Amino acid sequence: MITLNNNFHLLPESYLFSIVRQRLDAYRQNHPEDEIIRMDIGDVTRPIAPAAVAAMHAAVDELARTESFHGYGPEQGYLFLREAIADYDYRRLGIAITPDEIFISDGAKSDLGNLGELFSHRARVAVPDPGYPVYADDNIIDGRNRTDAPIIHLPLTPENHFVPPTPDRTPDLIYLCYPNNPTGASISRHDLSRWVDYARRVGAVIIYDSAYEAYIRDASLPHSIYEIEGAEEVAIEVRSFSKTGGFTGIRCGYTVVPHALKGCYADGTVAELHRLWMRRQSTKFNGASYISQRGAAALYTPEGRRQVEESIDYYMENARLLREGMAAAGYEAFGGENAPYVWVRTPDGMTSWEFFDHLLERYQLSSTPGAGFGTNGEGFVRLTAFNTRSNTLAALRRLRD
Amino acid sequence: MITLNNNFHLLPESYLFSIVRQRLDAYRQNHPEDEIIRMDIGDVTRPIAPAAVAAMHAAVDELARTESFHGYGPEQGYLFLREAIADYDYRRLGIAITPDEIFISDGAKSDLGNLGELFSHRARVAVPDPGYPVYADDNIIDGRNRTDAPIIHLPLTPENHFVPPTPDRTPDLIYLCYPNNPTGASISRHDLSRWVDYARRVGAVIIYDSAYEAYIRDASLPHSIYEIEGAEEVAIEVRSFSKTGGFTGIRCGYTVVPHALKGCYADGTVAELHRLWMRRQSTKFNGASYISQRGAAALYTPEGRRQVEESIDYYMENARLLREGMAAAGYEAFGGENAPYVWVRTPDGMTSWEFFDHLLERYQLSSTPGAGFGTNGEGFVRLTAFNTRSNTLAALRRLRD
C-alpha cells in the first residue's frame, strides 16, 4: 500500500468552514422551519457588478465564434488584466509594480495555498493567530510544522490592536493580512513599516494577504505593502476580486511577485522568486478562465469602479450597523471600520463554539467561532458584513428583542 | 535571505511549451511575412459547443441578479455536474463511480500537478517517456527525483506499440496516459488489465490521465480505467473538458478518487485517498468557476453531446489526413487513430529539435519536439489535429509541394 504524505495526519480533520457548514446542516435538519441568517463564511450576497456581467457575456460570445475563438491563455494571465491592475492598483498610488510582476490566478485561496511550494521544507513559518486557516494548513501539509521548529503563532489581541509584535524566534516566512480577517482590524503605515524593516533585517519573506484592501476607509492607512519603502525586496502581495466585484463564484485573483524579491538555493545560488512562481504556475496551472479575466478587467473601467465602490459602501454600512448594533446589544465588538468583519467577544466566559451554538439556537444566527482561526481566537466569534441589508438588520433585531 | 525549494533548481529552466512559444516568437520577428501553421500545443480551434455557450450566458445572468446570485460553490464542485459525469461517463458503461467520488477542478493540468501532494516525499515514481512534462516536473518539485531513487522512465517506443512493460524497479506511483499524449497511441483492455494487476500486486497507485478518452474510435478499447476489475482500489482517473467542449480557455476538468483507494501513514494507519484529496482541495482550492461548471454540464445534454461528437469527428478527420498525408510525404507516422495526435519519426537521423527547426524554416509548420517529452521522444515530433481543416490541408500541401 502506498505511503501517504504524513503531514495530512497532523492536520485538523476538516477545514474550518466545512465544519461550520456541517453544523448548520445538522441544525437545519432538526429545525426545518427556522430561517438562519448567515454571518459565518465571508461570502458576498450582492450580484456581480453590471460592468463585469456585460464583459463576461461578450467574452462568452467571443469564444462562441470561430473567428474570435481562442483557447489556452498565458499561464500568468492576460496582459489586458495585468495592465489594468498595474495602472489602477499600483501606478495610481505611485508604486512601481509592472504588469510582468503580476500573476492572475483562480483566486487568492489557491495562491495562498500554493506559494509555500517555493520555499525550503525547513523554512520557519509565522502565521497570525487568529488567522485564515489556509496559512497554517498549507505549511502543515508541506511539513513545516516540525517538533524542532513549530509554526510561530503571532498573537492578534485587543491589547495589541490586532497587530502583533515581531516574534522572539526568527521566522523565514511571515503571513500578514490587513485589513484583517477575522478581526476586522487594520494596520497603520508605521506598524507595516516596522514589519517590512523586520523582514529586511532578518531576511524573511512576507506573504501579504490584502484581499480586503478595497474596504479601507481611513485615508492614512496603506493600501499595499509596496507603499512601504523596500517592501518589494521582501514581500509578495495577494489580492482577490471576490470581495470587490462579487467574484466568489467566478474565481479570479492575483499575486504580485516583484523581481527584486530573491531567495537562495542550498548551494548559495541566488534566484528571483518571480522565476520560481512562473515555473510553478506554468507547470501546475493553466491560467484563470478567460471569461473571469474579462470580467475582472471590467471592474477597472470607470463604471466598473463605481459599481465596486457602491457595493463596498453597501457592505461597509452593514459593518457599521453590525458593530454598533452588537455594542448596543451589550457585546464587545471590534473591527468593521476598514474591513467587512466584526470580531465579537463572547459573553460570560463562553467558548467560541458555545457562543456559536448560542447564537444559532437562540437567534438562528450563524457566526464563525474564533477558535477555528487559532488559539487567540478563542473567546471571540467573527460576523461578516456580506449579508443583505435586510438580513443584517433582522439579525440585529433578533439580538435586541 | 530565505532558502528556496531546492528542487526548482533541478527542473529544466522552462516549461516545454514556453520554450516552443519563445522559438516561434523569435521566428516571427525575423520573418514577419511568414504565416506559421501551428501544430504544436494541443489547443483547439473550434469554438465552444453552442449548448455550453447558452448555459454560460444563463449562468452569467443568474449571477447578475440578486435573487439568483450565489457565491462560493462547494470546493468539490456542484452536484449537478458531478451527477451528469457519474451518469454519462461511468454508469452508462456499467461503472459504479458515484458523484461523491468525483472532484471538479479548473482543469486536468492543475490536478495532475497537485495530486503528488497526497503521497510521501519518498514515494518512487514512474512516468511514461515520452510523456506530458507535468508528471515528472511536479514530482521533481516535490523532491521525488532522488539520487537513490530517481524517477523511473517507462519507455514508449514503436517496438512496444507505445505501451511500456512494467518496470524492473518497483514504483509506488505510476502515471499512465491513454489515448496517449504525445504518441497518439491507445491501450488495449488486455494491456490496461496487466497494469492494474501489476499495481494491485506491488501496492502502487496509478494516476490515469484520460484527457483524450472521447477520441477513442475502436470499440474494443477501454474508455475508463475503472472498466478493469479492481482498478477502483488502485487508480485515480483525471479528465478534461478542454478537448471535448473546447474548454482550454474556460478551465474545467475532473478527477475521480474512489473511496476504495487507500494508502497508509507512516504509523500504519490506513486512510482513504478520497479524504486527503478532499482536504487538499478544500484547503488550497475554492472550486471551479460556476460559469465553467454550468458550461461543462451542458456538454452532457443531448445537444451538447451531439456537438461534442461533431467536434471530435472534425478533429479526427484532421488526424486521419495528417497521418496519411505524412505517410504519403514519406514520413513514418504513428497514432491519430484513437487520439488527436500524430507522432512522426524524424527523417535522416535528425534530432527532434533539428526537425522542429526544419519544419518551421522550410514549411512554416510548428511542431512539438519529441525530446521535450522525454529521452524516448528524441527522434520524433508531435503534430496535433486541433488546427482547422483548411490549415491542416495547407500544412500537408506545403509538405508535399
Side-chain angles (χ1 to χ4, degrees), chain B residues 278-292:
Chain B
M278 180 74 90
R279 189 65 168 89
R280 193 273 168 207
Q281 291 298 80
S282 53
T283 304
K284 301 196 187 189
F285 182 60
N286 229 336
S289 162
Y290 175 70
I291 302 167
S292 309

Side-chain angles (χ1 to χ4, degrees), chain A residues 5-268:
Chain A
N5 174 352
N6 211 50
N7 300 309
F8 275 95
H9 217 14
L10 310 173
L11 275 178
E13 181 74 15
S14 277
Y15 180 63
L16 170 62
F17 296 104
S18 313
I19 306 175
V20 169
R21 198 163 52 215
Q22 282 159 21
R23 291 251 196 157
L24 294 181
D25 287 346
Y27 183 86
R28 278 198 200 93
Q29 277 209 311
N30 294 328
H31 308 83
E33 71 294 346
D34 283 359
E35 205 184 319
I36 297 173
I37 297 179
R38 289 200 58 178
M39 310 180 87
D40 52 297
I41 194 162
D43 199 356
V44 294
T45 48
R46 283 168 66 90
I48 40 177
V53 169
M56 293 197 291
H57 277 306
V60 172
D61 283 334
E62 247 186 273
L63 301 185
R65 290 189 305 266
T66 307
E67 56 284 12
S68 53
F69 178 79
H70 39 97
Y72 291 123
E75 287 100 350
Q76 193 182 353
Y78 278 96
L79 192 59
F80 63 77
L81 178 54
R82 291 188 282 117
E83 277 178 343
I85 293 167
D87 258 352
Y88 189 78
D89 290 343
Y90 296 103
R91 203 167 307 152
R92 197 175 53 97
L93 305 177
I95 300 169
I97 292 294
T98 65
D100 178 51
E101 296 174 309
I102 296 164
F103 294 78
I104 311 300
S105 74
D106 68 324
K109 188 180 176 190
S110 303
D111 287 352
L112 290 166
N114 294 327
L115 277 164
E117 280 180 43
L118 304 195
F119 306 101
S120 156
H121 280 257
R122 301 197 62 80
R124 292 153 304 182
V125 175
V127 301
D129 177 350
Y132 187 39
V134 173
Y135 310 145
D137 286 0
D138 165 42
N139 282 291
I140 294 172
I141 292 174
D142 285 355
R144 295 202 191 86
N145 193 24
R146 308 197 313 277
T147 24
D148 62 326
I151 290 177
I152 300 164
H153 289 259
L154 305 168
L156 272 59
T157 64
E159 292 67 40
N160 62 31
H161 306 285
F162 307 104
V163 178
T166 56
D168 297 333
R169 282 190 296 131
T170 307
D172 300 301
L173 189 58
I174 301 160
Y175 291 77
L176 293 177
C177 172
Y178 291 99
N180 186 251
N181 172 17
T183 69
S186 51
I187 193 167
S188 68
R189 199 172 296 268
H190 173 81
D191 280 332
L192 190 54
S193 297
R194 186 166 53 77
W195 271 100
V196 168
D197 292 345
Y198 173 76
R200 292 175 63 88
R201 198 166 60 244
V202 302
V205 167
I206 296 173
I207 295 183
Y208 194 67
D209 177 356
S210 64
Y212 303 97
E213 166 274 328
Y215 288 81
I216 292 174
R217 295 281 142 142
D218 180 340
S220 76
L221 299 176
H223 282 256
S224 162
I225 195 167
Y226 304 119
E227 291 183 45
I228 310 299
E229 210 188 311
E232 70 284 359
E233 293 180 11
V234 292
I236 292 170
E237 184 160 278
V238 181
R239 294 250 180 115
S240 165
F241 298 107
S242 287
K243 313 302 165 66
T244 56
F247 274 34
T248 48
I250 288 171
R251 313 306 312 135
C252 202
Y254 70 85
T255 285
V256 179
V257 188
H259 283 293
L261 179 57
K262 299 193 170 86
C264 67
Y265 288 114
D267 65 3

Side-chain angles (χ1 to χ4, degrees), chain B residues 2-14:
Chain B
I2 200 163
T3 306
L4 301 170
N5 175 351
N6 211 50
N7 300 309
F8 275 95
H9 217 15
L10 310 172
L11 275 177
E13 182 75 14
S14 277

Side-chain angles (χ1 to χ4, degrees), chain B residues 331 344 346-347 350-359 381:
Chain B
Y331 298 100
V344 181
T346 64
M350 278 186 191
T351 69
S352 61
W353 278 106
E354 282 167 358
F355 192 48
F356 168 90
D357 286 335
H358 174 79
L359 288 174
V381 299

